[in-house]
Amino acid sequence: MDKLIITVAVTGAEVTREQQPNLPITPDEIAEDVYQCWKAGASIAHIHARLPDGTPTQSKEVYAEIKRKIREKGCDIIIQFSTGGAVWHSPEERIQCLDAEPEMATLSAGSCNFGDDVFMNSPKFIELLAQRMKEKGIKPEIEIFEPGMIENTLRLVKKGLLELPLHFDFVLGVPGAMTGTIDDLLFLVRKLPAGCTWSVAGIGRYELPLAVHAIVMGGHVRVGFEDNIYYRKGELAKSNAQLVERIVRIAKEVGREIATPDEARAILGIQKREGR
Ligand code: KMH
Ligand code: ZN
């Protein structure tokens, strides 16, 4: 098995300070939080930008500031920006973050219900995201909320917009999309083309059981406040780093080593580039 890649999704677009008092919001807070998670063992930071009042933003300037502040700390974590943004962001707003030149970015491979909203990803927009990431040499992480999104991805491979092997992230347990049972995870993993890598981001109570299964199955794990704000039922997590530390402990107990960012780059086929 490859070493374990831990992604931390520190902020997201939906969680508020009222729900999780330790949510990082400003570029300084996000950079410090990512730095603490990197020290704890995370090798990818999945980042959403916010305005100082907490409103989600896809401003390329804010994303660039977050990246700069992370790198100023001497932190070599893989920086992954969200092209998903918030459900109400326009496609034009969402794609902007690619101009801030991250090493990786998310690419949601289809539309789904998302709580009381709809997370819209038209075929045309998905193609545009894939095309732009290809031009810029940004490694996509394919976000899968529903099984049909794997087929959508393979259509883009046929069109030459994406190249195998790809890295997938199964986001499971979003109200309105696929649930996060172990059966769901096994079903999705079996559908992937050979040689692809995957991680799982279980939402809320799905986070820990799915992470534990991913660790022993040879997959990778995403944790963080974007997906889950609790340490256990009824107890808020103290920090994103606390959630990362628990995954590191569990992985070590079952003999799965933790990937450094450079080891994660090698697993995912990412070339380190100046300024990223
Ligand atoms: N905030 C969700 C609507 C991504 O980061 O690419 C979309 C999302 C996916 O979080
Ligand atoms: Zn996200």
Side-chain angles (χ1 to χ4, degrees), residues 77-269:
I77 199 163
I78 298 170
I79 294 180
Q80 179 193 87
F81 289 161
S82 167
T83 65
V87 285
W88 46 267
H89 280 132
S90 66
E92 293 72 27
E93 286 174 289
R94 286 169 53 186
I95 200 167
Q96 267 193 75
C97 66
L98 300 181
D99 292 336
E101 310 279 333
E103 285 184 283
M104 280 186 101
T106 53
L107 199 175
S108 293
S111 304
C112 61
N113 285 355
F114 196 91
D116 293 332
D117 298 296
V118 178
F119 182 35
M120 279 293 291
N121 294 287
S122 71
K124 211 170 126 203
F125 183 52
I126 299 170
E127 287 192 10
L128 178 64
L129 283 174
Q131 179 73 45
R132 192 68 58 84
M133 287 190 213
K134 191 176 171 188
E135 286 160 8
K136 288 180 168 290
I138 296 170
K139 170 85 178 176
E141 176 179 276
I142 311 297
E143 306 299 307
I144 300 294
F145 295 75
E146 295 275 13
M149 295 186 188
I150 297 178
E151 294 309 315
N152 292 346
T153 306
L154 299 181
R155 267 195 287 279
L156 294 189
V157 172
K158 276 203 188 110
K159 287 188 172 183
L161 292 167
L162 294 174
E163 246 175 67
L164 293 174
L166 285 161
H167 181 60
F168 290 83
D169 181 44
F170 301 125
V171 186
L172 300 183
V174 170
M178 195 169 184
T179 56
T181 66
I182 306 310
D183 267 355
D184 292 328
L185 178 64
L186 296 176
F187 173 73
L188 292 172
V189 171
R190 288 190 192 114
K191 289 176 82 72
L192 294 186
C196 288
T197 49
W198 59 272
S199 60
V200 68
I203 304 301
R205 67 192 166 87
Y206 293 113
E207 184 172 90
L208 190 56
L210 286 171
V212 169
H213 278 76
I215 291 168
V216 293
M217 286 168 68
H220 304 281
V221 170
R222 180 172 112 173
V223 291
F225 290 165
E226 173 166 348
D227 304 329
N228 167 45
I229 57 175
Y230 292 98
Y231 190 75
R232 57 173 70 87
K233 193 173 159 69
E235 181 185 324
L236 286 172
K238 291 191 181 70
S239 62
N240 280 303
Q242 188 192 22
L243 296 171
V244 173
E245 283 160 7
R246 172 164 62 184
I247 298 302
V248 170
R249 281 198 303 275
I250 296 169
K252 285 189 175 163
E253 281 296 320
V254 296
R256 184 103 188 258
E257 288 180 69
I258 309 298
T260 64
D262 276 345
E263 288 166 343
R265 286 182 181 93
I267 293 166
L268 300 173

